[in-house]
Amino acid sequence: MPRGVFITLEGLDGSGKTTQIRRLAAWLTRRGQEPVLLRQPGGTEIGDRIRELLLDSRSRSLDSMTEMALMFADRAQAIAEVIQPALNQGKIVVCDRFTDSTEAYQGGGRRLGSEVVLKLHRIICHDLQPDLTLLLLPSFESSLARARRRNDRMETETGRNENRFETEHDAFYRRVWEKYHEIADREPDRVVLIEGDLTIDEVHEQIVESVSERILSLAEKS
Ligand code: TYD
């Protein structure tokens, strides 16, 4: 049975992932390879409920271990319900965040370390690895400023601050940022690092180039 292609996008909050995923999906669709899209946490009915619990700023007392366990619970459901079935059907799956986020945010940001995250990934996710990970890291200062603006806007509009993570302090994000770099250095074959303050078009071009080179040849062969 052909195995599909699994692409993940990663980066700090405010790195422009959402826009890039939309553009990548449109590009793939124009080539006749409409992708299956999902985001983490969320993307399934159960996952969306877990997402609410995780991101709501009212979940203040959430312990770091609980947070990590919920991220993996959400991921296990997404793999079983969406990702694995789509890959088995030979489809392209594009996922907004995956285990690298847990390693960066819980492993780095919350200081739980990489080892526990990678171990849980092996057990809970059967070590499912993306074929390609696009890691968007614009400058630290500009992504932080964007994330904070987005959060303030949401608070003004809804009276609620949906994303608990965006209220974290700079030192937390600095640790997330460093852990992302560590992952990119450790796994250069899987992770393509797209760095610096590029325009939306420039990032899109780099994404399309990586996807064409490393992925579509794989899909077209199978
Ligand atoms: P979301 O609103 O989807 O933000 P973004 O558009 O930046 O992806 O919120 C997801 C938040 O959850 C984000 O701050 C990162 C965090 N997160 C973790 O801490 N660990 C994880 O494993 C995942 C998947 C997300």
Side-chain angles (χ1 to χ4, degrees), residues 55-72:
L55 299 192
D56 195 322
S57 49
R58 289 169 300 183
S59 302
R60 250 182 226 108
S61 59
L62 199 66
D63 178 75
S64 298
M65 282 290 180
T66 315
E67 182 179 273
M68 177 172 62
L70 285 171
M71 292 294 179
F72 273 112

Side-chain angles (χ1 to χ4, degrees), residues 99-190:
T99 297
D100 293 325
S101 282
T102 315
E103 190 176 346
Y105 283 76
Q106 281 67 50
R110 302 268 189 246
R111 295 199 173 99
L112 297 180
S114 291
E115 202 186 326
V116 63
V117 175
L118 297 177
K119 257 190 195 153
L120 286 174
H121 183 75
R122 277 196 288 280
I123 299 164
I124 295 175
C125 305
H126 311 290
D127 212 18
L128 176 67
Q129 295 295 333
D131 298 294
L132 173 68
T133 296
L134 301 154
L135 172 54
L136 309 191
L137 287 182
S139 76
F140 182 71
E141 291 69 25
S142 71
S143 35
L144 212 62
R146 262 187 68 179
R148 300 234 190 280
R149 271 201 305 278
R150 189 174 64 176
N151 211 36
D152 290 347
R153 209 169 43 238
M154 176 139 8
E155 222 168 349
T156 316
E157 282 164 13
T158 63
R160 248 199 325 139
N161 171 349
E162 194 225 5
N163 195 341
R164 211 166 41 86
F165 289 95
E166 288 173 1
T167 61
E168 286 294 340
H169 45 81
D170 292 9
F172 172 88
Y173 279 109
R174 184 59 76 178
R175 291 195 294 276
V176 174
W177 169 270
E178 279 163 10
K179 189 57 89 178
Y180 267 136
H181 275 287
E182 199 183 302
I183 297 170
D185 289 344
R186 187 182 69 211
E187 295 186 55
D189 289 344
R190 170 174 70 85

Side-chain angles (χ1 to χ4, degrees), residues 30-43:
R30 282 199 301 278
R31 295 182 55 116
Q33 289 182 293
E34 194 174 341
V36 172
L37 299 178
L38 80 161
R39 68 171 176 181
Q40 292 194 343

